[in-house]
Amino acid sequence: MTNHIVLFEPLFPANTGNIARTCAGTNTELHLIKPLGFSTDDKHMKRAGLDYWDKVKITYHEDLPSFMKTIPDINRLYIVSKFATHDYSDVDYTGEGDHYFLFGKETTGLPERFMQKYPENAIRIPQNDNNIRALNLSNSAAIVIYEVLRQQSFPDLARVHKYEFDKLK
């Protein structure tokens, strides 16, 4: 089983770089759906991803329909949206097969027609809608992927690590 974070037309290199770093640290694959609002050689994106960029498996897709053709099981596609009626934490992510978490563009989200086609796949991170329009994209990706990994018992992730200069010792 592999987890995948999918970004639809991301605009800001810092968000994508931060998400790439999260992917590197969680063995999560990253998918970027074009057009991108930046060059992947952009120095700001590299800075946000630090030296982890080469540790991430990245797949580029020309557009949303091209990405959708790669999904082996539509029931394993989760559309993260503030318009969803199901909380992300209420879904069971322990089933066999790959899991894909699709996040919309920072400014406009996902296309409305697309959302209307897959309402049963939509999940929501609870938030106070009176105070904000949406949570930050990189924070949202981290929130969701760590719930998924918690349910999957953090496969292949270090739960404890010994440091030469351990600050807790």
Side-chain angles (χ1 to χ4, degrees):
M1 159 180 6
T2 302
N3 296 311
H4 304 258
I5 290 178
V6 184
L7 304 181
F8 172 75
E9 300 181 0
L11 293 173
F12 306 126
N15 281 335
T16 302
N18 288 335
I19 292 168
R21 184 175 181 164
T22 297
C23 288
T26 60
N27 303 317
T28 300
E29 294 186 17
L30 178 61
H31 297 254
L32 301 177
I33 300 174
K34 297 177 182 178
L36 308 181
F38 51 86
S39 164
T40 53
D41 294 330
D42 187 293
K43 68 178 180 177
H44 297 294
M45 189 173 78
K46 297 252 186 192
R47 186 181 312 138
L50 298 173
D51 56 347
Y52 306 104
W53 195 245
D54 64 328
K55 306 280 191 255
V56 182
K57 181 176 180 191
I58 302 174
T59 304
Y60 295 90
H61 303 274
E62 290 303 313
D63 53 31
L64 189 54
S66 298
F67 163 72
M68 291 300 291
K69 289 177 185 173
T70 69
I71 302 293
D73 181 358
I74 196 68
N75 294 317
R76 299 283 188 224
L77 173 66
Y78 306 94
I79 300 166
V80 184
S81 171
K82 71 177 186 176
F83 299 107
T85 57
H86 297 78
D87 286 354
Y88 76 104
S89 58
D90 292 339
V91 178
D92 180 0
Y93 305 108
T94 60
E96 291 299 317
D98 289 5
H99 300 271
Y100 294 82
F101 301 91
L102 177 58
F103 295 83
K105 185 187 305 190
E106 290 99 329
T107 55
T108 58
L110 289 159
E112 190 172 339
R113 273 207 167 127
F114 177 82
M115 296 286 296
Q116 291 170 349
K117 189 172 179 181
Y118 301 102
E120 67 282 355
N121 297 68
I123 57 175
R124 174 185 167 89
I125 300 171
Q127 68 176 34
N128 185 328
D129 293 323
N130 294 320
N131 291 343
I132 59 171
R133 285 184 306 280
L135 294 169
N136 173 273
L137 181 62
S138 61
N139 291 342
S140 296
I143 289 167
V144 170
I145 201 63
Y146 269 94
E147 171 60 18
V148 172
L149 293 166
R150 183 193 67 78
Q151 289 187 23
Q152 297 170 353
S153 299
F154 300 103
D156 303 315
L157 299 182
R159 302 288 292 258
V160 177
H161 187 81
K162 302 285 185 198
Y163 294 93
E164 181 179 351
F165 301 105
D166 193 328
K167 294 181 180 182
L168 295 176
K169 302 283 182 203

